[in-house]
Amino acid sequence: MTSMSRARVARRIAAGAAYGGGGIGLAGAATVGLVLAEVQLARRRVSNGTSPHVPHADGLYGRMYAGPAEVPLRLTMLGDSTAAGQGVHRGGQTPGALLASGLAALAERPVELRTVATPGACSDDLDRQVALVLAAPDPVPDICVIMVGANDVTHRMPATRSVRHLASAVRRLRTAGAEVVVGTCPDLGTIEPVRQPLRWLARRASRQLAAAQTIGVVEQGGRTVSLGDLLGPEFAENPRELFGPDSYHPSAEGYATAAMAVLPSVCASLGLWPAEEERPDASRREGFLPVARAAAEAASEAGTEVAAAMPSGPRGPWALLKRRRRRRVPEQEPAPATPSN
């Protein structure tokens, strides 16, 4: 599928989500049915002998920056098993811990991590997760990171419904005062037991949803980071290194790779990224594009950020597409000795 075709499909899905349209298929009902059957088979294969345990990682990171007058930044993880960190054994290996450690080092402030992400969650669970975040007695998070979408594809959730729930979550969090960064639907074509041609079909469905997610998120004032290609060529070339023991969830190295892609956008949303890197670089094919076109391009390239720019243009809302340089994530901290409640 070309970038322009993906942009048209994403625009239709996002419009259906915004205006209550019907269930527009990701890659056609028959295609999704085949993908579902193959992924369910893959799930049975990869689940043997594995545990759904997710290590606890919540608590304070960057303790060396803590002081009586230093208020920690508050980071909350929402979404599915990828956001929760399923597939690794230690809290410090989860994406939340990696992001909290990196954010603390770059901001030179302590970071309080809270995780409400739930393994197996689809986008409709975000309503419950956001309610938990906003009902907490603690202040509203400074930054929320959402990773969701893979289960929507495998459970055949209509794309319009998926995007509607995600956009609603972003809107509620932004209205409450939190910055929001969304890691869009990963590339299901990288699940090792899924065979061709369904691997290609799964990739197509994943990228369609990722592009539609980007439109919905950006229109609500959030930013997105594409995880699709990140979990594509790199994972395909190093499946034993970048996938965990179940061949379905990322390993510690895989989560570190994903965290390096998301961390710059997290920092930029908080005004912590170098100002010179906030300007679009034409040599890196960065710039202002209609939001649907930016979404389609981002879905094809890992680590690509899309953020709201001009409110409107000849072809609707515009967005800034950034291909941020990946910086090394600071050394992982161990899981906090005294987790927060």
Side-chain angles (χ1 to χ4, degrees), residues 282-297:
S283 68
R284 293 167 56 81
R285 295 178 293 118
E286 298 178 344
F288 298 97
L289 296 169
V291 65
R293 182 178 164 195
E297 291 198 13

Side-chain angles (χ1 to χ4, degrees), residues 275-322:
E276 63 272 15
E277 293 192 21
E278 292 303 286
R279 294 187 291 271
D281 184 345
S283 68
R284 293 167 56 81
R285 295 178 293 118
E286 298 178 344
F288 298 97
L289 296 169
V291 65
R293 182 178 164 195
E297 291 198 13
S300 300
E301 184 170 343
T304 303
E305 176 193 293
V306 180
M310 296 171 281
S312 63
R315 287 174 284 179
W318 285 60
L320 174 60
L321 184 144
K322 293 282 296 177

Side-chain angles (χ1 to χ4, degrees), residues 9 21 23 25 57 71 115 131 143 163 191 207 236 250 264 279 308 313 323 330 334:
V9 172
V71 178
T115 303
I143 176 72
V163 174
I191 300 174
R207 290 185 177 182
R279 294 187 291 271
R323 294 179 170 88

Side-chain angles (χ1 to χ4, degrees), residues 190-334:
T190 62
I191 300 174
E192 199 173 35
V194 176
R195 300 182 298 270
Q196 293 289 16
L198 297 183
R199 186 183 295 266
W200 177 85
L201 296 173
R203 173 168 291 123
R204 180 185 177 192
S206 303
R207 290 185 177 182
Q208 285 182 8
L209 179 56
Q213 286 178 317
T214 293
I215 296 175
V217 169
V218 169
E219 289 181 345
Q220 299 303 326
R223 300 176 187 232
T224 63
V225 179
S226 169
L227 299 182
D229 276 358
L230 184 69
L231 307 181
E234 293 178 68
F235 277 46
E237 290 171 9
N238 304 285
R240 296 305 176 196
E241 177 183 352
L242 291 173
F243 274 122
D246 62 4
S247 298
Y248 191 86
H249 293 98
S251 65
E253 290 80 7
Y255 278 130
T257 301
M260 280 194 293
V262 174
L263 180 61
S265 297
V266 167
C267 292
S269 70
L270 295 170
L272 299 172
W273 206 241
E276 63 272 15
E277 293 192 21
E278 292 303 286
R279 294 187 291 271
D281 184 345
S283 68
R284 293 167 56 81
R285 295 178 293 118
E286 298 178 344
F288 298 97
L289 296 169
V291 65
R293 182 178 164 195
E297 291 198 13
S300 300
E301 184 170 343
T304 303
E305 176 193 293
V306 180
M310 296 171 281
S312 63
R315 287 174 284 179
W318 285 60
L320 174 60
L321 184 144
K322 293 282 296 177
R323 294 179 170 88
R324 295 189 182 277
R325 296 175 177 85
R326 298 180 195 164
R327 297 186 171 190
R328 185 177 181 275
V329 175
E331 288 296 319
Q332 304 171 20
E333 292 191 22

Side-chain angles (χ1 to χ4, degrees), residues 71-227:
V71 178
L73 288 168
R74 294 171 296 277
L75 165 65
T76 298
M77 301 293 295
L78 304 92
D80 56 24
S81 58
T82 305
Q86 186 172 353
V88 294
H89 301 291
R90 298 197 302 273
Q93 298 172 324
T94 63
L98 293 165
L99 288 171
S101 297
L103 179 58
L106 289 167
E108 297 186 348
R109 283 178 63 182
V111 174
E112 187 75 27
L113 172 66
R114 183 187 182 200
T115 303
V116 297
T118 304
C122 294
S123 292
D124 55 4
D125 191 55
L126 292 175
D127 299 346
R128 181 190 63 84
Q129 294 181 26
V130 171
L132 286 175
V133 173
L134 299 183
D138 300 327
V140 173
D142 295 288
I143 176 72
C144 292
V145 175
I146 303 173
M147 297 180 178
V148 74
N151 295 322
D152 297 32
V153 176
T154 61
H155 287 74
R156 291 186 288 185
M157 177 181 289
T160 50
R161 181 183 171 198
S162 174
V163 174
R164 187 179 302 123
H165 282 292
L166 177 58
S168 173
V170 174
R171 179 172 61 253
R172 291 169 64 193
L173 293 169
R174 293 288 293 127
T175 299
E179 297 292 336
V180 181
V181 175
V182 175
T184 55
C185 181
D187 185 354
L188 294 181
T190 62
I191 300 174
E192 199 173 35
V194 176
R195 300 182 298 270
Q196 293 289 16
L198 297 183
R199 186 183 295 266
W200 177 85
L201 296 173
R203 173 168 291 123
R204 180 185 177 192
S206 303
R207 290 185 177 182
Q208 285 182 8
L209 179 56
Q213 286 178 317
T214 293
I215 296 175
V217 169
V218 169
E219 289 181 345
Q220 299 303 326
R223 300 176 187 232
T224 63
V225 179
S226 169
L227 299 182

